[in-house]
Amino acid sequence: MNKLSQNAPAKDAGRSKLAALNAWVAEVAALTRPDSIHWCDGSDAENDALIAQMEADGTLIRLNTETHPRSWLHRSHPDDVARVEHLTFVCTPQQDDAGPNNHWMPPADGHAKMDALFDGCMAGRTMYVIPYCMGPIDSPLSRCGVEITDSPYVVANMRIMTRMGAPSLARIEREGSFVKGLHSIGELDPNRRFIMHFPEELTIKSYGSGYGGNALLGKKCHALRIASYQAKSEGWLAEHMLILGLENPQGETHYIAAAFPSACGKTNLAMLIPPEGYRKDGWKVWTIGDDICWMRPGADGRLYAINPEAGFFGVAPGTSQTSNPNALKTIQHDTIFTNVAVTGDNQPWWEGLDKREPAIDWRGNDYDFSKGTPAAHPNSRFTVSAKQCPSYSPKAEDPQGVPISAIVFGGRRASLVPLVFEARDWAHGVLVGAAMGSETTAAATGAVGVMRRDPMAMKPFCGYNFADYFSHWLSFDKPGAKLPKIFHVNWFRKGDDGRFLWPGFGDNLRVLEWMIKRVTGEAGAQETPIGNLPNVEDLNVAGLEFGNEARDKLFGFDQAGWRAEFESIGEYLDGYGPRMPQLLRKEQQRITEALN
Ligand code: OXD
Ligand code: MN
């Protein structure tokens, strides 16, 4: 037995609320047959021992200790670098409950398939039991889970991404309920890889991958797929959204939740540094979260949100002093990098970081410039505690969450979609979210740059039928509700020459300011069938220069193009059949008529 495996199991008490947990751990151990079992307490000593073990066996490579203290590089199996949507299943008794948006399997078949893979898979390995809490440990909005895994890399990442260890176990003991997540890296064979969800059993089984979204089960599997299902039955929302606070010169802070598909700039927006003029005037952006948002109505009718995560699992390529200086500061120490390149002096490097030359590529080979392939994997990542971020808000730890003033949807759209528009009311806003489209990115395996509908950026993450999900969203509009305004943005509109028309990054603050001024009734807009668009003069564009093409495309609206778009949205909604809420269909028809 290694040093880590000598700790005692959780307080054994057949009578305590941990009985169910103890029984499940015993059942999993009987199936997977590990050499030893280690209950994670989340302590520094435990982490140090795990890191030392991973450094010794080559799982982690120490980076330059002067420039990046206590930071590590992990090189994954080259076939295991992203989420695998085609191998991700939602197992409900009725296929219709999973919906056309999910791959489906009957629960009994799902369990049988997974249990056959798990049979004996931990022989020769240590089985780690990770109690964790998604959200501040004392928040009524938080939920607990336990992940069992045979990957020490997963343990080290879960320690950063969640509130993991003894306090979570204590909460599980108090509450008695938790989400069960069983994970094994198996043989890392793409042909023996599945990520299965059993929402009605609050259970996840994941085999054959060590990649974040497939293996850190607190993240996409629990906090989105299982939580979205729980949220529907309990009257809240689990969303793929960043949360930020926008503080104005008067010292008032408005909170904004924004949904963008994976690798579309959520981390950059969440950590935005305002342009110089704004900074001088006293504007500030506070980071609450960069990927996931759980919201529920408070006693005053507003939606209150928490970030269930405790860290960032951010996309490295493109992160730079220009795009996200706060992220660069955040990842300067105590960070795990996965699949980045390294420089000659062993510093992490990725495309877009700076002009230095990488020496070793993400696979560990000497970097060969002549091949023209990227040195870092396009989906290379950093895992880092949110507390290291200079803009991290103390309100992120508030058990009550923060009140949301605006919800933003957005995607990568090279054409048609203007910079920003406002939905006229909640139902229209739900349609705007449901109709969202975006070009695919490297965050999932498969083709990149293909436009697909990605409602509320939840296409890969909604744990049940999208038609029911849209009904659930619509149900929040009831007497007494004080719902946020809903907006749509597109930072990625291109001109005829293929260049981006909007500067993006810090300048996105100008758009956020307009949104908050719409909320407070201080900014103007023109009404159009697709929603309220700012005139150029409604936005503070001081210091920016736009040619006619940029003005037209960013602030204008192309009626014929939108007519075609709404026809395609109608067809998309029809794909969900009779479960699609009539109200959404009516909204689509209302706008189609206005466009005609
Ligand atoms: C992520 C993703 O890792 O969306 O956040 O893929
Ligand atoms: Mn994400």
Side-chain angles (χ1 to χ4, degrees):
M1 260 200 209
N2 64 28
K3 194 159 167 268
L4 280 168
S5 60
Q6 287 166 3
N7 68 333
K11 277 172 266 178
D12 181 72
R15 287 153 289 134
S16 98
K17 288 207 180 150
L18 287 180
L21 172 57
N22 288 329
W24 175 58
V25 170
E27 188 190 304
V28 169
L31 175 66
T32 59
R33 300 193 288 284
D35 276 14
S36 57
I37 301 176
H38 176 82
W39 287 73
C40 298
D41 62 13
S43 63
D44 288 345
E46 175 182 84
N47 191 52
D48 292 348
L50 269 178
I51 298 274
Q53 176 190 316
M54 286 191 279
E55 189 178 6
D57 71 15
T59 305
L60 293 183
I61 299 164
R62 191 185 287 267
L63 289 165
N64 186 316
T65 50
E66 271 164 37
T67 58
H68 291 77
R70 298 172 302 283
S71 296
W72 309 92
L73 166 63
H74 171 71
R75 292 195 182 110
S76 77
H77 190 288
D79 290 332
D80 185 32
V81 291
R83 285 184 289 100
V84 281
E85 294 179 10
H86 61 297
L87 302 174
T88 299
F89 285 73
V90 168
C91 304
T92 45
Q94 303 300 320
Q95 181 164 7
D96 234 16
D97 291 336
N101 44 305
N102 282 303
H103 299 295
W104 173 83
M105 210 178 270
D109 296 5
H111 283 302
K113 194 169 200 56
M114 298 308 283
D115 292 352
L117 293 169
F118 280 115
D119 193 359
C121 73
M122 295 190 192
R125 300 180 186 172
T126 298
M127 178 174 115
Y128 300 93
V129 181
I130 313 172
Y132 64 86
C133 180
M134 299 311 291
I137 200 88
D138 50 353
S139 170
L141 284 79
S142 301
R143 291 285 185 279
C144 287
V146 177
E147 173 164 358
I148 296 180
T149 180
D150 53 10
S151 161
Y153 166 82
V154 165
V155 179
N157 278 267
M158 283 291 282
R159 182 169 186 266
I160 297 173
M161 296 304 296
T162 71
R163 279 91 174 165
M164 179 265 252
S168 305
L169 188 62
R171 179 165 170 163
I172 291 170
E173 184 164 21
R174 274 199 311 278
E175 292 182 338
S177 67
F178 61 96
V179 169
K180 292 178 188 159
L182 173 54
H183 168 255
S184 170
I185 53 172
E187 308 78 25
L188 293 174
D189 175 355
N191 297 314
R192 286 165 56 83
R193 179 175 297 162
F194 287 101
I195 325 295
M196 297 237 184
H197 304 75
F198 305 85
E200 294 177 9
E201 302 164 39
L202 302 184
T203 294
I204 304 153
K205 293 187 175 178
S206 166
Y207 189 90
S209 168
Y211 171 74
N214 303 327
L216 311 181
L217 300 185
K219 193 172 180 63
K220 303 300 182 181
C221 301
H222 177 166
L224 288 175
R225 297 195 191 95
I226 298 288
S228 61
Y229 171 87
Q230 277 185 301
K232 178 178 176 288
S233 36
E234 296 171 9
W236 50 284
L237 290 165
E239 299 300 324
H240 192 203
M241 291 177 176
L242 67 91
I243 312 167
L244 64 81
L246 181 57
E247 184 177 330
N248 67 17
Q250 293 75 49
E252 297 149 355
T253 304
H254 282 275
Y255 293 93
I256 298 176
F260 303 111
S262 309
C264 286
K266 284 201 297 300
T267 307
N268 293 348
L269 188 64
M271 297 180 191
L272 180 151
I273 295 188
E276 202 183 331
Y278 275 87
R279 273 203 312 277
K280 276 201 191 123
D281 289 346
W283 290 86
K284 185 159 182 12
V285 169
W286 294 98
T287 308
I288 303 275
D290 79 328
D291 195 41
I292 302 182
C293 164
W294 287 357
M295 298 185 267
R296 74 160 66 215
D300 59 0
R302 299 187 72 186
L303 288 183
Y304 283 78
I306 59 163
N307 168 17
E309 299 191 284
F312 308 122
F313 180 65
V315 179
T319 307
S320 72
Q321 201 48 42
T322 314
S323 67
N324 196 338
N326 272 333
L328 281 193
K329 288 204 183 98
T330 309
I331 60 182
Q332 209 56 50
H333 60 96
D334 296 278
T335 302
I336 299 174
F337 294 89
T338 301
N339 291 339
V340 297
V342 287
T343 58
D345 62 349
N346 209 24
Q347 296 190 47
W349 190 91
W350 47 84
E351 275 64 28
L353 173 60
D354 55 32
K355 295 212 158 29
R356 284 173 306 161
E357 289 183 353
I360 315 272
D361 72 11
W362 65 275
R363 295 169 187 260
N365 300 324
D366 287 348
Y367 182 55
D368 181 354
F369 292 86
S370 65
K371 284 202 179 135
T373 50
H377 188 276
N379 192 35
S380 52
R381 299 277 179 150
F382 50 79
T383 319
V384 67
S385 165
K387 290 201 169 124
Q388 292 184 197
C389 177
S391 56
Y392 190 54
S393 167
K395 295 290 279 181
E397 304 293 331
D398 186 335
Q400 300 312 316
V402 293
I404 298 295
S405 299
I407 288 177
V408 183
F409 296 118
R412 263 175 207 272
R413 297 291 297 262
S415 59
L416 185 69
V417 183
L419 177 63
V420 57
F421 60 90
E422 173 198 296
R424 66 174 205 168
D425 56 20
W426 185 258
H428 178 208
V430 174
L431 177 67
V432 169
M436 239 172 84
S438 195
E439 292 160 18
T440 50
T441 68
T445 55
V448 168
V450 180
M451 162 44 207
R452 72 166 180 184
R453 297 253 166 243
D454 188 351
M456 276 97 164
M458 284 286 279
K459 164 78 188 73
F461 308 122
C462 183
Y464 62 103
N465 191 320
F466 256 152
D468 299 343
Y469 171 76
F470 301 144
S471 298
H472 182 50
W473 263 82
L474 290 167
S475 74
F476 285 83
D477 191 5
K478 51 183 167 223
K482 295 200 185 73
L483 295 169
K485 265 189 183 295
I486 297 181
F487 298 87
H488 188 282
V489 298
N490 178 23
W491 314 132
F492 300 95
R493 186 75 190 260
K494 288 186 176 166
D496 293 337
D497 61 0
R499 285 178 191 231
F500 291 116
L501 294 172
W502 176 250
F505 307 122
D507 286 304
N508 292 340
L509 188 88
R510 300 167 190 272
V511 177
L512 301 183
E513 179 193 9
W514 177 75
M515 289 174 188
I516 293 308
K517 289 194 165 159
R518 290 295 294 167
V519 169
T520 57
E522 295 166 88
Q526 50 163 322
E527 275 180 41
T528 78
I530 62 163
N532 302 326
L533 267 73
N535 300 295
V536 188
E537 55 276 12
D538 292 321
L539 233 70
N540 175 359
V541 288
L544 300 183
E545 275 173 28
F546 298 111
N548 287 343
E549 187 196 18
R551 273 173 188 264
D552 285 356
K553 290 189 168 154
L554 293 172
F555 297 95
F557 122 90
D558 159 12
Q559 180 131 355
W562 277 101
R563 221 179 276 139
E565 175 78 358
F566 265 80
E567 239 171 67
S568 127
I569 293 171
E571 281 162 21
Y572 176 72
L573 298 182
D574 282 348
Y576 289 89
R579 278 169 101 125
M580 179 54 64
Q582 276 312 303
L583 185 52
L584 218 54
R585 215 51 188 88
K586 269 209 214 125
E587 272 298 300
Q588 184 269 339
Q589 278 153 7
R590 177 184 69 75
I591 296 169
T592 306
E593 276 158 30
L595 286 165
N596 288 329

